[in-house]
Amino acid sequence: MFDQAVENRHVRRVAGAAAAALVYWAVLRRIFNPPAGVLLQGIVVGGLTALIAFGLALVYRANRIINFAQGDLGGVPASLGVLPMLSTTSLPYLVAFPLTIVSAVVLGAFVEFVFIRRFFKAPRLILTVVTIGVSQILAVFPVAMPRWFGLQTSQNRYPSPIDLSFDVGGRTFGGNEVIALVVVPIVIGALAAFFRFTNIGIAVRASAESADRASLLGIPVRRVQTVVWMVAAGLAFVAVF
């Protein structure tokens, strides 16, 4: 059984990643010796940034472009979720969060259908410029939306739903950091399972490998592109929210 585990490429990948992490940890401690609080803060920020990076990589593999609107895909639904909680409606957190996830997915589908699909066969440079334009359009909404709910633009923070705080290495961590530490690994694991075990995820991988070959095999490439943008928008929302 041990020999079979060693020969398994997935086990080798995990072992290699663990070994690289240990080496990185040893070098980091040897050279900089940062406090534990700084390391934990780096894990929190790095995990949230990784979700943005996953969305960028996903769109790049599917469209061969750099999506400059990736962050804004999460900013608009995040504002749409926070503002009702701060306004007179006082929408509960457990209601706002799933509703805004749905709005993020819908926004991703809308952007792909209205903007990206129209330039699907255009040169990649033009499509990249299109994402810059989409970013500029979406950036307007978080600035204008507070006034729609009768709020000032400075009122953009919502207290964490978890009343918890603790100190590590001189740094204070609250409920938002705890949520990030729990949610980020779950989202990454769910994303990996989605691409490995679902038919849609496998279709996305096939389309990213070769859209023409996937189309010849009967895979609806255009619909797969929509799924890619929906997933990318969902990842951006989780990172921003």
Side-chain angles (χ1 to χ4, degrees):
M1 182 177 295
F2 178 76
D3 294 337
Q4 293 178 351
V6 172
E7 293 176 358
N8 190 305
R9 62 188 182 92
H10 299 294
V11 174
R12 293 201 302 269
R13 285 182 179 179
V14 173
L22 290 175
V23 172
Y24 176 76
W25 168 263
V27 172
L28 190 66
R29 296 286 295 180
R30 180 70 177 179
I31 298 177
F32 299 104
N33 193 25
V38 174
L39 291 175
L40 185 58
Q41 184 69 32
I43 292 173
V44 173
V45 176
L48 297 175
T49 305
L51 297 182
I52 299 289
F54 282 136
L56 285 170
L58 182 59
V59 171
Y60 178 80
R61 287 297 305 273
N63 298 108
R64 297 298 187 268
I65 62 169
I66 298 176
N67 179 22
F68 285 92
Q70 179 64 26
D72 297 289
L73 286 175
V76 173
S79 299
L80 188 61
V82 171
L83 294 174
M85 293 188 290
L86 294 174
S87 66
T88 55
T89 59
S90 299
L91 193 66
Y93 183 91
L94 294 179
V95 176
F97 186 76
L99 288 178
T100 46
I101 288 181
V102 174
S103 68
V105 173
V106 171
L107 176 63
F110 175 81
V111 169
E112 192 280 332
F113 187 80
V114 174
F115 297 100
I116 306 304
R117 185 170 297 191
R118 294 177 181 273
F119 298 90
F120 182 75
K121 295 184 179 180
R124 299 299 90 180
L125 178 59
I126 294 178
L127 188 53
T128 301
V129 174
V130 169
T131 65
I132 298 176
V134 172
S135 173
Q136 298 302 309
I137 294 173
L138 295 179
V140 175
F141 287 91
V143 178
M145 286 170 62
R147 297 185 179 88
W148 301 351
F149 293 88
L151 300 172
Q152 300 296 324
T153 56
S154 59
Q155 295 177 304
N156 57 0
R157 293 186 63 86
Y158 182 79
S160 173
I162 300 179
D163 187 12
L164 175 67
S165 63
F166 58 92
D167 294 332
V168 176
R171 289 181 175 267
T172 302
F173 297 87
N176 291 329
E177 286 77 12
V178 174
I179 293 175
L181 289 172
V182 174
V183 170
V184 169
I186 293 176
V187 171
I188 293 175
L191 186 65
F194 171 76
F195 285 120
R196 181 169 178 79
F197 300 112
T198 66
N199 293 332
I200 298 177
I202 295 173
V204 171
R205 290 165 55 191
S207 179
E209 191 68 28
S210 176
D212 294 335
R213 186 185 304 173
S215 180
L216 291 174
L217 293 174
I219 296 175
V221 175
R222 296 292 180 88
R223 295 180 182 178
V224 168
Q225 295 291 333
T226 303
V227 173
V228 167
W229 282 84
M230 291 166 65
V231 173
L235 291 173
F237 162 74
V238 175
V240 174
F241 193 77

